[in-house]
Amino acid sequence: MPPSVERRRRGFIRGRGRTILLVTILVLIVLAMSLRGIATFYTDFLWFRSLGLTDVWRGVLGARVVLALIFIGVFFVLCWLNLYIADRIAPVFRPPGPEEELLEPYHAFIAHRMGWARVGVALLFGVIAGAGASSQWKDWILFTHRVDFGVEDPQFGRDIGFYVFQLPFLSFVVNWLFFSFVMILVITAAAHYLNGGIRLQTPAERVTPQVKAHLSLLLGVLALIKVADYYLARFELTTSTRGVVDGATYTDVKVQLPALNLLMAISVLSFVLLVINIRRRGWQLPAVTVGLWAFVAIVAGNIYPAFVQRFSVDPAESSKERKYVEHNINYTRLAYGLDQVEIKPFNYTQDLTAEAVRDNIDNVRSARILDPAAMRNAFQLEQGKRRYYRFPRQLDIDRYTVEGRVTEVIIGARELNPDEQSGWENAHLAYTHGNGIAVAAGNEVTPRGRPSYLIGEVPPLVADRIDAELTRPQIYYGEGLDGYAIINAKRQEVDYTDDDENEVLTTYQGDAGVEMGSFFRRAAFAIRFGQIEPLISNFVTSESRILYKRDIRERVEAVAPFLEWDSDAYPVIHNGDVVYVIDGFTTTDRFPYSQRSSGGGGSLSGNHLNYVRNSVKAVINAYTGDIVLYVMPVDDPIIEAYQKAFPNLFTSYDDMPDDLKQHLRYPQDLFELQTSMWARYHESDPAAFLSGSGRWSVAQNAPRE
């Protein structure tokens, strides 16, 4: 082999080796930066599998991945096709000039790599344009599992299901297509410039006829997409916030809707003119089209409606808006469940007789005299027992049978206080759980004025007069309980500390959590939680199990992220265990003619919804962490759609144990929201509604902590 060839061969090998080394280093850096995410992804899968809900994990992940791949793929094909056309119609001889001299190095480099360049550019911009589509997974699930509401909107006569299930995703697709074709137009124009089909600094023809035809067709596609955009925008008027109430009001119907129809016609005309422009010289027709479209969009779509609203509608609201206000009242009541309100007269009288008291003696005896908001400190001082226990900031009210009568009680779970743990062993192996609950009668106090406890102490003591049994009081899952605990380790757990300051030890008897298993799994948990101890601790074995996502709200949000959850969960004694009940809501902001929420409390506060149903009661076992989502017997097409999407996630209300049904309550957040809305929407007459003279002021309760 000649020396020159040998030197080139060695140089090629060294260059190739450096390239491989650089790529390897880059891959390792990316992998190191992604380890936390990979570990979290893997351990989340293990968590769902431990609950038997891998179909939910796959369903949500699958929706995200499928959406991303579809939109990336569509953009890739469209972009690659246009780049291919740009290369095919490129001029054989590029006009000489300063631009060509500047681009000569590019052509020398890309000459034999055109195919790979098209793929690379299309894929790069496809990822940029399509990856974000995964965030639309909720709309996609509802779109693909839609059902009818059985109620039509008063403007277009379409079923409400169209607005809730179809319109959001269709609007996203149209907007995405417009954005994507704008990107493709820019990329294609750049490709034509690089190929010589467009030259800005030349006395000859600056744009070749083939390039002009190509770009005109792309502009025509954009015009057709705007037709679809304006068509869907007509239906978006049903949730307009322009008028005195939400929904399509006078200006929307009489001015904005005709303007959108006109813009649709102009967009169709624009497409026709752009196609005609393919065989004409110059860009006069597209310029006139764009100018006309911009003029109508600004004047007819914005200025004129604002003028009509301000100078014609606002001075005569009671007459011009009457029909639309009536629609708003009816559909707001329907959306918030206020159409089911029964109005009954309450004849208040101060004439209370002894006979009336005797006739209602059970009600008088069970009347609650204790305020749970004021009892929290007493519970903490008298029933907290140890500094590593705590009661929630908000105690709850429930009903239990006491001495044969249903009686209101104040109840709170004695949960673990993670802020009082020091050292990794104590925080994750020894002090792993709370212990028991405290229950006080709501209608009595001790001679010293303290709560009269029906259940208390550690280990729990249950009074004979309350019909309840607490056989497994340990609380491994609770409110605000973050971090993780490792059970079945070599180091036993502290169940509680007795009166002689002796630690009573215990070993977990259930099958909750995820097995620590192999070295690989333990490493994944160590990376997820940012602590090396799960990997190196001698107390942890392959048979040990790790409990995480211990906060009950975090658990239900993980298994049903498409629901909103009440801000207050409450404990219940059920079959000897402590379980938590938390209310789940289906919501949307797409219900036609319904008013955006105002007021309310907790998770339903703000103005992010105009429809709500309490469709789910989640029950979480404080010992095992098991989650059961019971679907309530309410008319709610949204939860029906989610049931179709995740059939194994939900359980019928009919399957809820009867003794558990006795402890269900009306959600506080929903009650506050409905009360706030009813303060205005108890009015049926549009004129009285607009005047606001009959609007109620909702009594203010003590602020939430």
Side-chain angles (χ1 to χ4, degrees):
M1 182 181 296
S4 59
V5 175
E6 180 65 23
R7 284 194 299 269
R8 286 197 300 270
R9 180 174 176 273
R10 290 178 180 177
F12 173 78
I13 293 174
R14 285 196 298 268
R16 186 176 182 182
R18 284 194 297 268
T19 301
I20 294 174
L21 179 61
L22 288 174
V23 171
T24 302
I25 293 174
L26 181 62
V27 169
L28 290 176
I29 292 174
V30 172
L31 183 62
M33 295 175 64
S34 306
L35 275 179
R36 188 75 175 268
I38 295 172
T40 301
F41 178 82
Y42 172 63
T43 52
D44 276 347
F45 167 74
L46 296 177
W47 184 82
F48 275 95
R49 191 171 69 176
S50 71
L51 293 173
L53 295 175
T54 52
D55 55 335
V56 177
W57 183 84
R58 285 194 301 266
V60 175
L61 178 64
R64 289 178 178 272
V65 172
V66 167
L67 278 176
L69 291 178
I70 289 175
F71 283 87
I72 290 173
V74 169
F75 188 95
F76 173 84
V77 171
L78 292 173
C79 187
W80 183 91
L81 181 62
N82 280 276
L83 289 175
Y84 177 78
I85 294 172
D87 291 339
R88 294 283 293 180
I89 64 177
V92 179
F93 299 102
R94 294 185 294 272
E99 291 174 294
E100 182 58 28
E101 294 177 3
L102 182 64
L103 295 174
E104 188 61 35
Y106 162 79
H107 291 295
F109 175 78
I110 207 72
H112 303 292
R113 302 179 176 88
M114 291 300 296
W116 287 108
R118 284 195 297 270
V119 171
V121 171
L123 184 59
L124 172 63
F125 285 97
V127 171
I128 294 173
S134 63
S135 63
Q136 303 297 315
W137 66 271
K138 293 181 185 178
D139 288 342
W140 170 250
I141 286 177
L142 291 177
F143 180 81
T144 53
H145 298 87
R146 56 190 179 272
V147 296
D148 287 338
F149 272 69
V151 179
E152 295 180 350
D153 80 280
Q155 179 59 43
F156 299 102
R158 284 182 173 265
D159 187 87
I160 302 298
F162 168 76
Y163 298 93
V164 174
F165 298 124
Q166 295 172 265
L167 186 58
F169 188 73
L170 291 175
S171 297
F172 167 76
V173 171
V174 170
N175 291 330
W176 180 86
L177 283 173
F178 186 82
F179 167 77
S180 297
F181 269 95
V182 169
M183 287 182 62
I184 291 171
L185 177 64
V186 173
I187 295 169
T188 303
H192 283 306
Y193 178 77
L194 294 173
N195 292 340
I198 299 176
R199 278 295 177 260
L200 304 178
Q201 302 178 29
T202 177
E205 192 174 41
R206 295 185 176 183
V207 181
T208 65
Q210 296 86 346
V211 171
K212 178 185 173 184
H214 190 189
L215 297 182
S216 294
L217 283 176
L218 287 177
L219 289 171
V221 172
L222 286 174
L224 289 180
I225 294 174
K226 288 305 293 183
V227 174
D229 185 30
Y230 291 131
Y231 176 76
L232 295 179
R234 298 162 65 252
F235 301 108
E236 300 279 359
L237 294 176
T238 58
T239 54
S240 169
T241 58
R242 181 204 305 274
V244 64
V245 293
D246 290 354
T249 52
Y250 182 91
T251 302
D252 297 306
V253 174
K254 303 298 184 181
V255 182
Q256 192 72 53
L257 184 58
L260 290 172
N261 291 332
L262 178 59
L263 287 169
M264 287 174 58
I266 292 175
S267 297
V268 173
L269 176 62
S270 300
F271 172 76
V272 174
L273 293 178
L274 286 165
V275 172
I276 294 174
N277 187 64
I278 293 175
R279 295 188 175 275
R280 290 176 58 90
R281 296 179 60 85
W283 295 86
Q284 291 86 356
L285 284 180
V288 170
T289 300
V290 172
L292 178 62
W293 170 81
F295 176 79
V296 175
I298 294 173
V299 175
N302 293 284
I303 296 177
Y304 183 57
F307 178 86
V308 171
Q309 179 69 32
R310 177 66 183 87
F311 295 101
S312 178
V313 178
D314 289 349
E317 279 184 348
S318 60
S319 59
K320 293 192 174 182
E321 299 283 31
R322 180 180 181 86
K323 179 175 68 172
Y324 308 106
V325 170
E326 187 174 0
H327 294 333
N328 177 265
I329 292 173
N330 294 334
Y331 282 79
T332 298
R333 288 182 173 183
L334 177 62
Y336 289 92
L338 300 176
D339 58 321
Q340 304 298 319
V341 173
E342 295 183 19
I343 300 177
K344 296 182 179 180
F346 178 70
N347 299 319
Y348 171 73
T349 177
Q350 292 182 332
D351 300 330
L352 183 64
T353 63
E355 182 180 1
V357 172
R358 286 193 297 270
D359 291 342
N360 295 274
I361 190 63
D362 288 341
N363 292 333
V364 173
R365 285 175 176 173
S366 62
R368 180 167 54 85
I369 61 175
L370 297 181
D371 181 3
M375 290 295 103
R376 198 268 180 182
N377 289 339
F379 269 56
Q380 187 65 44
L381 290 172
E382 298 169 6
Q383 292 294 329
K385 300 305 178 184
R386 303 293 172 182
R387 59 181 177 82
Y388 49 80
Y389 293 137
R390 70 178 181 189
F391 286 93
R393 292 195 300 176
Q394 182 175 337
L395 299 177
D396 294 290
I397 300 172
D398 203 346
R399 302 172 302 276
Y400 285 86
T401 301
V402 179
E403 296 179 343
R405 292 191 298 269
V406 176
T407 304
E408 283 194 16
V409 300
I410 298 175
I411 185 171
R414 189 182 293 102
E415 298 179 352
L416 187 69
N417 186 359
D419 297 334
E420 293 294 335
Q421 310 306 319
S422 60
W424 183 84
E425 181 181 338
N426 281 339
H428 302 286
L429 298 180
Y431 297 97
T432 57
H433 58 275
N435 199 303
I437 62 176
V439 179
N443 62 342
E444 63 181 65
V445 293
T446 66
R448 299 179 59 187
R450 310 305 296 171
S452 177
Y453 294 102
L454 302 169
I455 301 178
E457 302 301 323
V458 180
L461 297 177
V462 181
D464 293 337
R465 58 199 187 107
I466 183 173
D467 186 12
E469 184 180 7
L470 190 58
T471 57
R472 197 159 59 173
Q474 291 82 7
I475 299 176
Y476 286 85
Y477 301 88
E479 297 183 77
L481 191 58
D482 54 7
Y484 64 95
I486 298 177
I487 56 176
N488 295 344
K490 292 182 179 179
R491 203 266 194 229
Q492 282 190 297
E493 308 162 52
V494 176
D495 196 18
Y496 60 90
T497 304
D498 63 21
D499 294 337
D500 296 326
E501 302 296 327
N502 296 317
E503 292 182 347
V504 178
L505 304 180
T506 187
T507 299
Y508 186 80
Q509 299 300 314
D511 58 358
V514 178
E515 290 184 355
M516 299 295 289
S518 64
F519 176 86
F520 175 78
R521 273 199 189 184
R522 294 170 63 178
F525 289 119
I527 294 171
R528 177 189 178 114
F529 297 110
Q531 294 180 327
I532 193 64
E533 285 83 359
L535 184 62
I536 65 173
S537 174
N538 292 329
F539 292 120
V540 180
T541 68
S542 59
E543 286 76 27
S544 299
R545 306 177 76 89
I546 184 169
L547 312 179
Y548 50 106
K549 294 185 186 290
R550 294 193 294 165
D551 175 64
I552 55 177
R553 174 175 292 279
E554 183 183 10
R555 293 178 77 79
V556 294
E557 287 177 348
V559 300
F562 40 80
L563 300 178
E564 294 196 43
W565 297 95
D566 195 84
S567 58
D568 181 37
Y570 54 97
V572 174
I573 302 174
H574 173 60
N575 286 343
D577 287 356
V578 177
V579 300
Y580 286 90
V581 179
I582 182 170
D583 291 279
F585 308 105
T586 53
T587 64
T588 183
D589 60 354
R590 296 299 190 116
F591 200 93
Y593 276 100
S594 177
Q595 192 73 17
R596 292 288 182 97
S597 60
S598 60
S603 61
L604 301 180
S605 60
N607 62 345
H608 64 288
L609 58 90
N610 68 357
Y611 170 92
V612 62
R613 288 291 185 273
N614 175 213
S615 298
V616 173
K617 301 280 186 181
V619 179
I620 306 96
N621 190 292
Y623 189 85
T624 66
D626 290 339
I627 304 169
V628 183
L629 303 184
Y630 292 101
V631 177
M632 301 301 290
V634 297
D635 183 15
D636 180 26
I638 296 180
I639 199 62
E640 292 178 23
Y642 284 128
Q643 283 182 280
K644 290 172 62 179
F646 305 104
N648 297 325
L649 178 60
F650 299 100
T651 301
S652 172
Y653 172 77
D654 296 335
D655 296 328
M656 179 183 286
D658 291 337
D659 63 323
L660 190 56
K661 292 179 181 178
Q662 304 305 315
H663 295 280
L664 300 182
R665 70 183 190 189
Y666 203 81
Q668 182 174 338
D669 289 352
L670 180 59
F671 180 75
E672 291 183 9
L673 174 61
Q674 290 177 320
T675 301
S676 175
M677 298 301 295
W678 187 250
R680 187 180 184 190
Y681 282 87
H682 70 278
E683 290 279 11
S684 299
D685 180 61
F689 179 91
L690 285 173
S691 70
S693 59
R695 185 168 184 171
W696 294 346
S697 294
V698 180
Q700 298 299 306
N701 199 355
R704 295 184 180 213
E705 297 183 5

